[in-house]
Amino acid sequence: MSSTTSARPPGRPRAGVNEVVFAATLSTVHELGYARATVERIAAAAGVAKSTVYRRWPTKGALIVDCLLDAFGPAPLAGAGAGGAELMASTIRWIAAKVGEPGVGDAFAGVFSDAVSDPALREILSTQLQDPYRLALQDALGEPENRVLFFIDVVVGVLLHRMGMTGEPMADADVEALVEMVLRHFAEGPGVPGCSGSGS
């Protein structure tokens, strides 16, 4: 069955249910932690039957990925005349801000951790969550796939590591240090050691 990724036309009942379930997912993860935020508890918080949730999302991982897509929304890449450095800097700040929202960083870190030992969930994360942003970044930056994957690995990896180690989002000063480090690397251009290891 084709799933409910990000197509949620306004005004349809399904969209309303999704909104309620997504809000309940983030609040439950925020209050109880990722592991204790079961589908049963999320359904109860949303005021819907567990079967309603499972009809749309066959697993907790699929629900979390859709919830993250909804929480992040489209990447803010359309800056009038913005250069590559400016787009990368604003993207890093945008990801950091989203990860810092209640429940979002916890949900992201939890599903990411589950995916390490779950190939099916890893595929969902890769194709439904990472790929749309990767393609948008490739298009906006004019960078090849391996460089954009490296950008995503570094930025998301650092932000989730901080969240996992401290339970807190990264402080603004550290986000700015991360921006500086990443921009310095990309300013050196393609062919930098360490940039070509993802994928071929």
Side-chain angles (χ1 to χ4, degrees), residues 106-190:
D106 298 337
F108 203 165
V111 76
F112 185 83
S113 176
D114 280 357
V116 171
S117 56
D118 184 341
L121 179 55
R122 205 156 55 237
E123 178 71 10
I124 291 171
L125 268 177
S126 175
T127 59
Q128 294 183 29
L129 185 63
Q130 178 173 267
D131 280 358
Y133 293 115
R134 173 183 60 78
L135 291 167
L137 281 164
Q138 277 179 238
D139 188 51
L141 297 172
E143 291 277 1
E145 179 180 354
N146 65 304
R147 301 245 305 157
V148 172
L149 282 171
F150 183 73
F151 174 80
I152 293 169
D153 285 346
V154 169
V155 174
V156 175
V158 167
L159 293 170
L160 291 188
H161 183 271
R162 175 64 60 90
M163 178 66 77
M165 291 294 104
T166 68
E168 298 290 334
M170 186 172 276
D172 290 347
D174 290 341
V175 172
E176 291 309 310
L178 177 61
V179 168
E180 209 175 296
M181 288 168 58
V182 170
L183 293 189
R184 191 180 310 131
H185 174 85
F186 274 83
E188 295 174 15

Side-chain angles (χ1 to χ4, degrees), residues 10-37:
R12 290 174 59 186
R14 174 178 290 182
V17 171
N18 286 7
E19 267 174 34
V20 170
V21 172
F22 291 154
T25 299
L26 292 180
S27 65
T28 305
V29 168
H30 184 60
E31 288 164 23
L32 302 179
Y34 179 83
R36 294 179 61 216

Side-chain angles (χ1 to χ4, degrees), residues 54-107:
Y54 278 121
R55 264 199 306 275
R56 288 167 170 76
W57 303 280
T59 63
K60 175 181 168 179
L63 167 59
I64 295 292
V65 169
D66 255 9
C67 183
L68 289 171
L69 277 167
D70 182 77
F72 275 84
L77 297 172
E86 191 180 332
L87 283 173
M88 280 190 279
S90 65
T91 299
I92 294 168
R93 294 182 188 113
W94 166 70
I95 297 170
K98 288 293 181 180
V99 165
E101 289 179 4
V104 174
D106 298 337

